[in-house]
Amino acid sequence: MSITTRSLFKSYGDLIAVNRIDLDVKPGKIFGFLGPNGAGKSTTIKLLTTLITPTSGQIEILGINAIKNPLEVRKKIGVVLQQPSYEPNLSVEKSLEKYGMMWDVDKNIRKQRTEELIRVFDLEHIRKKKNEDLSIGQRRRVQVAREFMHEMELLFLDEPTVGLDPGARRKLLNFLKDKARTGLTIFYTTHVLTEAEYLCDEIAVINQGKILAVDTPDQLKTTFGKEKTIKIRLQDKRKNLASLLYEIPGCSVDLNTETDIIIQSSKAEIVLSQVLSILIENNITIEDLSAMPTTLEEIFLKMVTENNASNN
């Protein structure tokens, strides 16, 4: 395993940030780590990258006891945290070169990698610009690109696409997919659920310091996404629509439009049949009907909401 934790626990006085979590991340995989703000994601990354020590528990990174041998771990990993990190007075290309020097990368390899990363991350037109003159998104691209100046077996990325436009985001995701195919393991946190679904081989959902589930995106949808969403749009507004459908569980009316009916239920087909019968009885004409599979975002929100409710 690239990452193994057992009963990993971190508290700050009475505040429990990470609550006895177990993780197993396989080599060459992209492992998504999802959770709302304050769920424990950033604390977990700081523990795994040896920036802080746990209150208790075990951490093994690339076969190394990370608590006893943090320096050995740091030689083999790359880390891009949420916080901006850049050299204000250095140009983009000089920033990449400097980072390669810090990792003692051979001069010729350093030059070759600098050119490759400038091309891959679309930095050619800003290569001579100082970092302080770049936009937030451009600085973020440089920050991520810089990490690939050195060899590593495991990369931690904490919200790496913040500030990136859709084109730059997709280029980065595809680049990461290609790197994983070469054997690089990536531990990836994001708030963009479509990103996680597109990129990750496995996903862990954390809330209030506890792991709620770990599985592939497809299996999470199979296990937790039994509900379906059906939307019906009516041809005309009906002010009495809510009163007609109020007894049907799992069915709601958008009162702002008075034309949209939303069905969210694990028995969506049965509910739909009931709704259609009422519409026909009342001579209400349907303009459009669509059924949508449950998204990872819907599953995530449902899991977090139910977990919060059970702990209150």
Side-chain angles (χ1 to χ4, degrees), residues 194-250:
T194 52
E195 220 173 76
E197 193 164 3
Y198 176 75
L199 185 66
C200 299
D201 299 294
E202 274 195 313
I203 289 172
V205 178
I206 184 172
N207 190 45
Q208 297 184 355
K210 291 185 177 182
I211 300 293
L212 304 184
V214 181
D215 220 320
T216 65
D218 286 343
Q219 194 57 46
L220 284 174
K221 286 192 284 186
T222 299
T223 304
F224 297 98
K226 294 177 182 178
E227 286 191 357
K228 291 182 181 177
T229 301
I230 297 175
K231 290 188 177 181
I232 303 171
R233 172 156 291 179
L234 306 181
Q235 198 171 68
D236 303 303
K237 289 185 177 183
R238 292 295 298 253
K239 290 186 178 180
N240 66 333
L241 190 58
S243 61
L244 288 174
L245 303 175
Y246 81 96
E247 289 186 346
I248 301 178

Side-chain angles (χ1 to χ4, degrees), residues 35-311:
N37 289 332
K41 300 190 303 298
S42 293
T43 300
T44 301
I45 281 191
K46 288 176 182 177
L47 289 166
L48 298 179
T49 56
T50 74
L51 294 177
I52 59 176
T53 56
T55 306
S56 62
Q58 302 171 16
I59 309 173
E60 193 172 275
I61 304 294
L62 301 168
I64 302 167
N65 185 320
I67 300 170
K68 292 183 178 179
N69 303 293
L71 294 180
E72 289 300 310
V73 169
R74 292 179 194 179
K75 292 176 184 177
K76 295 177 177 287
I77 66 173
V79 184
V80 178
L81 298 176
Q82 284 188 43
Q83 294 80 5
S85 171
Y86 60 94
E87 300 83 2
N89 296 316
L90 287 183
S91 67
V92 169
E93 60 184 7
K94 292 296 183 185
S95 180
L96 294 175
E97 281 251 351
K98 180 184 176 183
Y99 207 72
M101 290 176 64
M102 287 170 56
W103 283 92
D104 199 26
V105 177
D106 176 80
K107 183 178 179 180
N108 292 329
I109 296 175
R110 205 163 63 228
K111 185 176 180 180
Q112 179 184 335
R113 284 184 187 163
T114 297
E115 293 303 318
E116 178 190 358
L117 291 170
I118 284 174
R119 176 181 56 80
V120 169
F121 284 84
D122 196 20
L123 303 171
E124 184 64 47
H125 62 297
I126 58 171
R127 64 185 300 159
K128 300 293 185 182
K129 273 191 172 185
K130 291 182 179 181
N131 281 293
E132 64 182 356
D133 297 326
L134 303 181
S135 68
I136 293 173
Q138 289 170 336
R139 287 176 189 167
R140 192 61 169 164
R141 272 155 53 202
V142 174
Q143 187 178 356
V144 176
R146 191 180 62 181
E147 205 60 40
F148 287 94
M149 285 297 295
H150 69 99
E151 295 291 341
M152 55 193 160
E153 297 178 43
L154 171 60
L155 173 62
F156 292 89
L157 294 173
D158 194 4
E159 303 282 353
T161 61
V162 170
L164 300 190
D165 62 62
R169 180 183 294 119
R170 181 51 65 96
K171 279 186 178 181
L172 173 58
L173 298 183
N174 288 337
F175 178 74
L176 295 176
K177 277 192 168 188
D178 289 341
K179 285 295 180 181
R181 291 188 190 103
T182 69
L184 178 66
T185 307
I186 300 172
F187 191 93
Y188 191 93
T189 78
T190 180
H191 277 104
V192 184
L193 279 297
T194 52
E195 220 173 76
E197 193 164 3
Y198 176 75
L199 185 66
C200 299
D201 299 294
E202 274 195 313
I203 289 172
V205 178
I206 184 172
N207 190 45
Q208 297 184 355
K210 291 185 177 182
I211 300 293
L212 304 184
V214 181
D215 220 320
T216 65
D218 286 343
Q219 194 57 46
L220 284 174
K221 286 192 284 186
T222 299
T223 304
F224 297 98
K226 294 177 182 178
E227 286 191 357
K228 291 182 181 177
T229 301
I230 297 175
K231 290 188 177 181
I232 303 171
R233 172 156 291 179
L234 306 181
Q235 198 171 68
D236 303 303
K237 289 185 177 183
R238 292 295 298 253
K239 290 186 178 180
N240 66 333
L241 190 58
S243 61
L244 288 174
L245 303 175
Y246 81 96
E247 289 186 346
I248 301 178
C251 176
S252 62
V253 174
D254 187 340
L255 296 175
N256 290 322
T257 65
E258 295 177 342
T259 60
D260 294 329
I261 301 169
I262 302 165
I263 297 169
Q264 285 184 314
S265 173
S266 57
K267 300 177 181 178
E269 292 83 0
I270 296 173
V271 176
L272 175 61
S273 177
Q274 294 172 327
V275 171
L276 292 178
S277 294
I278 291 174
L279 297 179
I280 291 168
E281 286 173 10
N282 290 272
N283 297 315
I284 299 174
T285 305
I286 295 173
E287 183 178 278
D288 186 48
L289 187 152
S290 60
M292 295 165 288
T294 307
T295 65
L296 190 61
E297 182 171 8
E298 289 169 333
I299 291 168
F300 170 78
L301 291 172
K302 183 180 178 183
M303 290 174 66
V304 170
T305 300
E306 290 179 351
N307 180 251
N308 288 339
S310 67
N311 289 327

